[in-house]
Amino acid sequence: MLEQYADTAYRGKQDEKFRNEISVDERDSMYCRYQSKQAIYPREDLIGYCFDNSQKSYYKGNINGQTDYDRSILTKGKNKLTLALISNATNMIGLINFTWAMLHLFFVFFMFILPLFSLALGAYDLAFDFFIILSCCWGGSKLISLLIWPFFRFKFNLATIFNRKTGMVEIPTKDAKSFDTLPFEEFNAHYKVAHNPKSGFANRGFTLLHYKKNIRYEQTYSNQIACAFLHWELLQNFMDVTQPLADIPQFEYYREFDKTTAEFDKANGRPKYFWYRVDKSFLKEMFKVDDELRKEFNDEEQLDNLLMGKPIKKLTPPDIFKLPWKYAVNIKPESEIKFGKTLWQKFTSFLMVDL
């Protein structure tokens, strides 16, 4: 099994033919034709770490059990070395799901804000009407989530699956009922920009596009290109079995199941379940270092380099990203790990829909 694992998994290098033979004008999809002509992110270790702002939510999700629940729903019982990520909607089911989530969030937010605003203006009847109407909308959406959606959820694939064990990427088909499964090395990360009419700033990211087929995974972030680089390196790290997994909250679950990572942890004396045991204040220390490195990266300059095909500045991050446990002060004993949601987390989870 280990030999098969080593032979089939992605090894951190891409055959040049997948870049040299990118299908452009002959693609069926006009959107994919356009994306295939965009700049390509380098396939190498440039940033040197994968720690970003999302790790705070993964840290909380590990402790309260939300991350484990989401993983069980999205991976549908696949092997323990599969990373399930929801991308920008690329099919109708994904678009409907995203729209529903946004509408529900709208109901929750304004169910409290509009009545309070009306009360502040002295419009008591209007405040009551707002609350009743929005509460009914929220309640209807919540009932669909609790009573109807669970019967349909498992019929659809809502996430792209990155399989570290096999080196394959499984992307939901247009009907979201099956997957297109292709080797990770056959995908290129093409620069993507989406204009945000609300802020006026562009959202930058990448389209992980197959070199020949109209199959893709997409992510966009803020107007900073550094976020896209971090996520691209996260995917490369997860799929490269020759290197241990990045030491981030998002990957804590996988460490004991991955041979390369388990050997690295044992050789370096890493505490087991470190991100379940370390105090959350340690995250602030890592965020401070991340902020300093972002400044050194010089986002605008590196975006220009990417678009013009020039070399991207390579960072040399400190060891706190590679060996974080050596910089942490408060690490609880393994026996004191407590999982579960706080009362506030239970309340906010109740308000949201379970997608």
Side-chain angles (χ1 to χ4, degrees):
M1 178 61 72
L2 290 178
E3 288 76 10
Q4 183 181 8
Y5 166 69
D7 290 340
T8 59
Y10 167 66
R11 290 184 169 277
K13 295 182 179 179
Q14 182 190 47
D15 192 321
E16 290 184 1
K17 76 173 185 177
F18 299 126
R19 291 195 179 199
N20 297 336
E21 300 178 7
I22 292 175
S23 175
V24 182
D25 294 328
E26 60 268 33
R27 289 180 183 271
D28 296 331
S29 166
M30 183 180 296
Y31 176 80
C32 290
R33 281 204 302 272
Y34 169 77
Q35 279 301 128
S36 65
K37 297 176 183 178
Q38 301 307 302
I40 298 178
Y41 286 74
R43 188 182 281 266
E44 57 182 305
D45 188 14
L46 293 169
I47 301 293
Y49 67 103
C50 306
F51 191 92
D52 62 6
N53 292 332
S54 68
Q55 297 310 315
K56 184 176 182 180
S57 62
Y58 281 109
Y59 173 85
K60 293 180 179 179
N62 286 341
I63 302 302
N64 63 37
Q66 186 63 44
T67 302
D68 188 56
Y69 175 75
D70 292 343
R71 187 187 304 110
S72 67
I73 293 293
L74 296 175
T75 61
K76 298 184 178 182
K78 295 179 182 289
N79 74 69
K80 295 182 182 296
L81 288 172
T82 51
L83 177 66
L85 298 173
I86 296 179
S87 69
N88 296 354
T90 57
N91 56 49
M92 185 56 66
I93 298 299
L95 181 60
I96 293 173
N97 213 38
F98 175 77
T99 303
W100 176 25
M102 291 299 100
L103 281 174
H104 188 88
L105 188 61
F106 172 88
F107 297 147
V108 171
F109 181 77
F110 286 102
M111 183 170 63
F112 297 101
I113 296 299
L114 287 182
L116 288 174
F117 185 73
S118 299
L119 286 173
L121 295 176
Y124 301 107
D125 292 339
L126 186 61
F128 180 76
D129 291 341
F130 274 138
F131 182 76
I132 293 297
I133 293 171
L134 290 169
S135 294
C136 290
C137 293
W138 169 83
S141 178
K142 187 68 178 179
L143 285 175
I144 293 173
S145 173
L146 293 173
L147 303 178
I148 300 176
W149 179 235
F151 293 99
F152 293 91
R153 178 192 291 126
F154 286 98
K155 294 183 179 180
F156 300 109
N157 300 304
L158 304 177
T160 295
I161 308 295
F162 294 87
N163 195 323
R164 181 173 169 91
K165 188 173 182 179
T166 64
M168 307 297 279
V169 183
E170 302 173 40
I171 298 180
T173 54
K174 289 184 178 180
D175 61 4
K177 292 184 178 180
S178 58
F179 288 104
D180 287 313
T181 304
L182 295 159
F184 180 67
E185 67 172 8
E186 293 184 3
F187 288 82
N188 292 291
H190 295 268
Y191 172 70
K192 173 181 173 60
V193 59
H195 296 286
N196 187 338
K198 293 182 179 179
S199 66
F201 293 102
N203 290 336
R204 308 188 190 280
F206 65 83
T207 297
L208 191 63
L209 181 64
H210 190 265
Y211 83 107
K212 185 178 293 186
K213 300 182 179 181
N214 296 326
I215 299 173
R216 69 189 193 273
Y217 161 86
E218 295 183 332
Q219 287 289 0
T220 53
Y221 302 90
S222 64
N223 63 321
Q224 292 189 333
I225 197 67
C227 299
F229 269 103
L230 286 168
H231 188 65
W232 174 224
E233 293 206 13
L234 180 145
L235 297 181
Q236 292 183 85
N237 172 259
F238 188 81
M239 298 300 283
D240 183 2
V241 297
T242 65
Q243 300 294 326
L245 291 168
D247 208 328
I248 55 178
Q250 189 175 359
F251 288 169
E252 182 63 57
Y253 167 83
Y254 304 101
R255 300 189 74 85
E256 64 180 313
F257 305 116
D258 180 62
K259 180 177 180 292
T260 307
T261 308
E263 290 177 350
F264 173 85
D265 289 351
K266 183 177 180 181
N268 289 276
R270 181 188 187 272
K272 191 174 183 180
Y273 306 135
F274 167 71
W275 285 110
Y276 298 152
R277 299 162 55 186
V278 71
D279 189 88
K280 64 180 180 181
S281 61
F282 179 63
L283 290 173
K284 295 181 181 179
E285 298 299 319
M286 298 196 71
F287 281 131
K288 288 180 181 178
V289 181
D290 177 46
D291 288 340
E292 292 301 317
L293 287 170
R294 295 284 188 97
K295 295 176 184 177
E296 181 184 342
F297 184 69
N298 193 333
D299 202 87
E300 292 185 8
E301 179 183 335
Q302 302 316 312
L303 173 58
D304 288 341
N305 288 342
L306 174 68
L307 297 179
M308 297 177 68
K310 296 180 179 180
I312 308 298
K313 180 177 181 179
K314 192 168 185 177
L315 296 179
T316 305
D319 282 347
I320 191 173
F321 290 107
K322 186 178 181 181
L323 310 169
W325 68 91
K326 291 190 175 183
Y327 297 83
V329 177
N330 298 318
I331 304 177
K332 295 182 294 187
E334 191 176 334
S335 59
E336 293 184 13
I337 300 176
K338 293 182 180 180
F339 298 101
K341 295 182 179 180
T342 64
L343 289 176
W344 174 251
Q345 289 172 336
K346 290 179 180 179
F347 174 69
T348 54
S349 294
F350 172 73
L351 290 177
M352 297 296 109
V353 287
D354 181 14
L355 300 178

